[in-house]
Amino acid sequence: EEQKQQQQNKVLQEKLQKLDSKAGFLRVFKLLCENKKPIVGHNLLYDLMFCYSHFQDSLPETVDEFKTNLHSQLPEIWDTKLLSVSSHKFTDTVLEKLYSEIFATMPVKVELPEAFKRYEKGGTYHEAGYDAYITGVCFAALKEEDLAKEELKNKCYLMRSLFALNLEGKDSVSESGSIWHLSGFGTETSTGDLINMFEGLRPQIRWINDSSAYAVFPQSTDEEVKESLGEKELPVTIMHITEYSDNQASKATAERPKAEEVPGGAKVARVDAEIQTEDLTPASSENSDPGKKRKNRASPVEEKEEPRSTRSTRSRKS
């Protein structure tokens, strides 16, 4: 009987060792969560979702639940993509190009372990170890230059959006400067037509659909934009982003399904009317060159290695 028990224990230990050897990165993820270590990544939202779904639990049905659960496990997260974009100091924020620009001045000293000395002479982009290394260098440099602002902690960059995903609460506008919602213009209107309405300010136009867009003025205040418009009549309806967001939220609240009594005491949901609202997330990010044609509203931006929308629309005249 004793020998049988020993044999069973031996088999159990072998199975546990085999399971432990297959656990892989799960052990690393659990240690990061248990010790509440800071996490640094570049455009890392999908990485966080992947880790959560593979090592924590199935992804929740709502974004708010995902944010709450993730933040309870990893309370300090930094996205170098968001930091670099928000600083407006870099010509290109794709990881390898951002690193090259930072490396040219290198405000921090970095020492590598012996096994990774080859990274000093460059490495292979998209190799996990090298990408992790240059992301860390970028973060250290951004921190040294006071570009890792505390208000950007626990916020993730969202492609082609005015907003950053805030893991600690309500999502906030990530663009700096003055932002206005434009609507009511004809489908023949071009990017250049919208830019030319704002004399001397040259906004960035973020298209929503054929008849609405956002005008972003990174270097201007709301008052400067108002002064630029003056008293002239415009061929569009223009509304500040705060007012527009509040209006959309009020409409959504007013049109929520209402509980209605029916015979038998049961309650059913009733919708009084359908509402068609514009998403606060633009369909694309357009260059401010008025000579450009908008052949595809989801036109490529600088992030060549990142996913692009495949939605296309008809051509526009400049």
Side-chain angles (χ1 to χ4, degrees), residues 214-282:
Y214 290 108
V216 182
F217 303 83
Q219 307 300 325
S220 303
T221 64
D222 293 344
E223 292 304 318
E224 288 172 337
V225 175
K226 291 178 183 177
E227 185 178 340
S228 171
L229 295 174
E231 299 297 326
K232 62 184 179 183
E233 293 186 8
L234 298 174
V236 304
T237 300
I238 181 168
M239 188 180 298
H240 191 269
I241 180 66
T242 302
E243 183 182 359
Y244 175 71
S245 299
D246 290 344
N247 284 353
Q248 293 298 97
S250 297
K251 287 180 181 179
T253 300
E255 297 299 335
R256 281 177 184 162
K258 299 176 182 178
E260 187 176 72
E261 293 285 349
V262 295
K267 289 187 177 182
V268 297
R270 179 172 61 85
V271 179
D272 290 327
E274 291 185 358
I275 181 171
Q276 294 181 347
T277 59
E278 297 163 331
D279 195 339
L280 290 178
T281 301

Side-chain angles (χ1 to χ4, degrees), residues 89-90 105-108 140-149:
K89 292 183 178 294
F90 301 97
T105 57
M106 192 55 83
V108 293
L142 291 166
K143 194 79 172 175
E144 179 68 21
E145 296 294 319
D146 196 30
L147 298 178
K149 304 294 185 182

